[in-house]
Amino acid sequence: MAARPSPGGRHVSTPINRMRWATQRVTGSSGHHKRRRILDRFHRGSASTEKKRESGGTDSDGSHLDGIQEENEAAEDRVSGGPGRRIFFNIPLPDDAKDEDGRPVTKFERNKVRTAKYTPITFIPKNLWLQFHNPPNAYFLLLIILTIFPIFGASNPGLTSVPLIVILLATAIKDAIEDWRRTVLDNELNNSPVHRLVDYNNVNSSEDDISLWRRFKKANTRGIKYLWKRWESIRGKKSDPGKSYAERALDEPRQSLDTTAPARTSMASSRPSFHSVRSQLGEDGIQMRPVQSPRPRDGDVTREEDVETGHHSSNGFSFDESDQARQGANGSHQAAEKDQRRSGPVFTRTYGSLIDPFKQVSEKAKFKPDYWKSVQVGDFVRIFNEDQIPADVVILSTSDPDGACYVETKNLDGETNLKVRQALHSGRKMKHSRDCERAEFIIESEPPHANLYQYSGVARWKQRDAGKPEADGMEMAEPISINNILLRGCSLRNTEWVLAVVIFTGQETKIMLNSGITPSKRSRITRELNWNILYNFCILMGMCIVSGIVEGVAFEAANSSIDYFEFGSIGGRPSLDGLITFWTMLILFQNLVPISLYITIEIIRTAQAFFIYSDTFMYYEKLDYPCTPKSWNISDDLGQIEYIFSDKTGTLTQNVMEFKKCTINGVPYGEAYTEAQAGMQKRQGVDVEEEGAKAHKQIALDRVKMLEDLRQIHPNPYLLDEALTFVAPDFVADLSGAAGEEQQKANEHFMLALSLCHTVITERTPGNPPKIEFKAQSPDEAALVATARDCGFTVLGRSSDGILVNVMGEDKEYKVLNTLEFNSSRKRMSAIIRMPDGRIILFCKGADSVIYSRLRRGEQPQLRKDTAEHLEMFAREGLRTLCIAQRELGEEEYQIWNKDHDLAAEAIEGREEKLETVSDAIERELTLLGGTAIEDRLQDGVPDTIALLSDAGIKLWVLTGDKVETAINIGFSCNLLDNDMDLIVFKVEDESPESVSSELEKHLRVFGMTGSDAELKAARKDHGPPGPGHAIVIDGDALKLVLEDEFRQMFLLLCKQCKSVLCCRVSPSQKAAVVEMVKTGLDVMTLSIGDGANDVAMIQEADVGVGIAGEEGRQAVMTSDYAIGQFRFLQRLVLVHGRWSYRRLGETIANFFYKNIVWTWILFWYQIYCNFDGTYLFDYTYVLLYNLAFTSLPIIFMGILDQDVSDKVSLAVPQLYRRGVERKEWTQPKFWMYMFDGLYQSVICYFLPYLLFSSGAFLTSSGLDVTAREEMGVYIANATVVVVNVYILMNTYRWDWLMLLLSALSVLLIWFWTGVYTSFTTADYFYKAASESYGQLTFWALSLLLVLISLIPRFTVKSFQKIFRPRDIDIVREQVRLGKFKYLDNNAAYGPPSTSSSPTASDLSKPIEPDYRRNDDLADDERPIYPPSMTQTSTTHNPRSQNGSDGTDYTGHSIGQPVRQSFERPRASLDRPRPSFDRMRHSMDKIRQSFEGSNEFTSAALLTRMESSYSQTPSGHPLRDSASYQ
């Protein structure tokens, strides 16, 4: 686009070139079938090869790790939706795109989205269909069908169906409530307002093409709405309910976004758009009627002016304010323009326009409010600030003259950061409805797919020559990438408006294609329970077969009583009689396979999930976030966890970055006492508390001195005392020239580089002076820019193509030519700046290994050595390090490269790869400036939590992207490592299989192992904690080798012997591969916990996934099974709720099988005496109500409320959890023990009454005998219910009033039911059975005798076990009774009492004297109102890469200073005492050999030997990335 003059006469150059790569993603086996079904529904006939597992933080190596692959080609990552599509705008459809009726052949999805499963029409049949997919429901339906036929002996088919009806009805009600909520949300979303171009001929769809089924559904919807309104009127709701939110938004006037002055403004979006300024002249105002904002903000004040007038009040730096802010920099700006003119012409490119200037239009089309559901493919839509995006759209133009807009993707991927999107160059002139009518173009798009970070398309049009209206025009095309797309579900931020066209709607949008792909998980108990159900089913089949055979033989036998009392059999022959009896017994013994068990388990798990959610000790007040169960069916798995896999950054640490140290020109600066440093000194035997107190005092004094010195150099109005994290008085001294002019310039230039090379958005809170803050996708990057601000290099904001920086009190503006974004494979970002003197400087920051490999060969040897050593020491202190470098570019060299860059950016195919190749070509021959070190502090309670989990027998592995030294020191600071451990640093000299095998065998020999199958088999049975003597550290390169099939087993056995395992520099797919290796290799329960999108893979791979709602967005939370606010809450989730849930459910299931065995075998014993003819011993109501009422409540509440010890005791004695690790609460021996216990009690409960009745008859007071089958059934059934409920009570730990009441009510219920039911003649043969039986003394005596004899064996065994073979829980419960845990009453329930504490970095970094109050500590109502917070993204930022930059499209802008080519001369600053540096250096030298073994392992040793192999080839193209070592 050609340059245009600004209103103020200042030259506005070409917009900044931005680039972005589609994130490489990981494919997986899950999610394949669901996406295939989705896309098959669209008749696209395609298959998915991707499971959305991770973010762009993938460190791709192209390896295949046991089914977990990384793709290097973005195209392979797509979910193909079939052939591509063509979308026509104001162009008639060609013949091949129309059917015989002239309608479009391609039928696009509607934008109306239904996430609900049901409609009022389909609910009943569809819900029943889904419920009967559950085998138990289908099984009991079969039984009910059998009872319909009298031949099978069931007396009342209606009563038989009651239990199934209750279960189906309860499930249907639950499903209906859940689906109704989804329907309400669907309707709210589908009826959301959007401004759509109406009275416009969209040739891509036909308005009258509505299917008959849709017409039928619409008619039903109208009918239901009518009936509902009538029902409300009948109920007396006479008042007007009012219009819906969406309807009000459509009718009320829209507030102008410019009539409200927010309390806080974004510098990135504060200036009015170029077009809006012009519109004040009345020529080009946006012509549309004012509409109420769909989401009005509190405090907005409506004004009469509308958008059409173009009037608005400027926020932040408007054009006028920017001019005032730059008055002090006019001289330098003019000099820069002169230098640019001297340096030669700047190549610019003029883009075409989609508008046909000669097309005659009616101008009837207008943007009017409409509903989301009305939006169609090919529509023009206008989206306003704060609005959500209704569909996937291509941006044509925005309110920004450069075509930029900001979008928040929180609803899409859970990330709270803003991203920049760009309008098409050819569409930026389109603003009004008439422009939309004049535009003629075609969009050729790829098919819909689920990759959120990839899109490829092209816009084609004919460019008409304004001087030749009769000419046809020239064919032109512009590529469309993900940078030009706004996805449904995102929200527009800091942008007045966007004009766009719709390309994907409804189910074809990316958010819908990505919905529901999280793999479903089933708990271990559920999987094992299927076998127990199968065992019972086999027993049932055996009982039915025996009954059928015996009955057939008995009825065939001659000379038996049957000949006198029976008039032939039903079947007529023995074989048919046996078959009929088989089905009869299947009905009679149905309780052996209990349908009520499943509903009981669901009730229990629902209650457990509610308790977890309601636990206030896991509520994180800072984020207002409770522990949120996402999967309700795996709470018992939390009680069996043996291995926990944790990310480090943001999970163990706070992910709140503070700039602590740096090295500039070979001189280290910064005072800090970190947690990792404290851990290092602790293992040396140093008194950490005393040493920390000294450091604390010294840092506080240095802070005061530094603040005084900074204000003496420059009265920085933006410096906030409480925000200063970089404490280095010697830096300020050198900045003022104490160490000489060279070091002074080096320090200035270094801070200048930090203020220029970034993609930060600047925000200010109005005041005098205004408060400057920074929002970035990476907290690292925000910390770097904030430190530059504190040191006098303040980023004020940006102009159209430059950045405004206050350099030591002087405002300057510099032009940013290009920003080369960060991604996980590059591990660096660069900004190309035109300096004031016309020179072009490339600033680059990134991981140390990446920067060192790109330095100019043979230069700066001493500086490289010193910097590498400083970075290593910083890493040992647990700090995250970055390198800063630069390169000066010639004008001709840059212009040639920029042409290649533009061509790569416009490529239609392979755009990302070409951009990366072009960027790689310029980021070479760098000059080293220095390095930075940032602290990511541990979260509160992390060391205590890890120690507690270790005591519980849980092994914790840390899987991180940080470097080895950082991970080791964090390991010491958080109790993963200790002084007594032998640290195995696993490294492979080369990648040969022989070297890997040799290294593994060497370490296995230490433990006397060889890695054999027998050892693996033994390891799978051993759930005990490993010895405390060893820990292993391995990096990603070595991990890739040992995860190969031939080495996996050996590596797994080696790790099994180590107490702690730290995997460093690992990619997301490697994290998942490690989890899979342990889970399947050792057959253990695993839990993964992380906070970032690159943790999603391992979260989904583990049996239980836990997401932390932290700084990296919410994608990990969205895909997790449980979401918590802090790592410390994991101890309570696992050790309290997990252990309770597992023990409760294991005991409940065992007791459930027991009670059904008792009841069913009593019926079986009775069949012996009636030749197995299927006669019922009990009245049929007893059979139905036994599980439904008589024994249900005690066992349900056992699973919900039973508690062996309190939560405080569970945390104080974490060893109690080991029983869950060993999986002893639910085992097959326990199942069979309860089965045999039930079998024994069934014998007692049947044969004792049988002996009573067989000896003779006894009479009632009225003379009636009590010998009938019904009376005998009353004797047996009532006593059996008492036995079962008392047995369940015996197995319950907590005997409170509620449990005793429920048990008593269950016993009383059968007596009450028998008395009431038998009082009516409808009971038939059961009439008066209660009065006759309950009136006999033998009934009560026999009931007491049955209870005693049945329960004595169980009581004896439990007494013997608790007295002579007590378990840990028995001993602890006895100690609780003795009052030995009374001290816990005064401690918080979320953790055990701490016996000792050590100072943390967060404590030691605070000054002593002042009591500062930061914004983080303010109450919500006292906080300034901020625009959306910026944190790193999953798409382009990998916080584990040691790179503080990110991959947004925010363009960094910079100013410049003369570049110094060499900083090699002697430096006086090196002779100055440096307390923190000297202290750390001394500690490092003392312990270096303790865990390294050789200098080959240190970062300094590697970096100083690294030379760049990124030389330019004769052709000028880069070589492949590789680093050679001398």
Side-chain angles (χ1 to χ4, degrees), residues 652 675 682 938-949 970 972-976 1127-1128 1398 1400:
L652 301 179
E675 291 157 323
K682 186 177 180 181
L938 288 177
Q939 293 181 12
D940 295 336
V942 166
D944 291 337
T945 299
I946 291 176
L948 205 64
L949 294 173
I970 291 295
F972 277 99
S973 64
C974 64
N975 288 339
L976 273 175
F1127 181 84
R1128 68 177 184 268
S1398 60
T1400 63

Side-chain angles (χ1 to χ4, degrees), residues 41-105:
R41 196 185 313 155
F42 308 147
H43 306 289
R44 301 289 182 186
S46 65
S48 165
T49 59
E50 174 196 4
K51 175 173 126 181
K52 182 179 177 289
R53 301 182 58 95
E54 64 179 270
S55 76
T58 305
D59 193 5
S60 179
D61 56 11
S63 60
H64 178 256
L65 301 172
D66 195 30
I68 303 174
Q69 302 178 2
E70 292 184 306
E71 299 293 341
N72 291 326
E73 296 294 336
E76 296 177 11
D77 187 47
R78 303 174 189 170
V79 179
S80 175
R85 60 177 58 183
R86 290 183 301 167
I87 308 171
F88 300 86
F89 299 89
N90 296 312
I91 297 177
L93 291 178
D95 294 337
D96 61 345
K98 295 185 293 186
D99 59 14
E100 59 274 7
D101 297 327
R103 295 174 177 173
V105 172

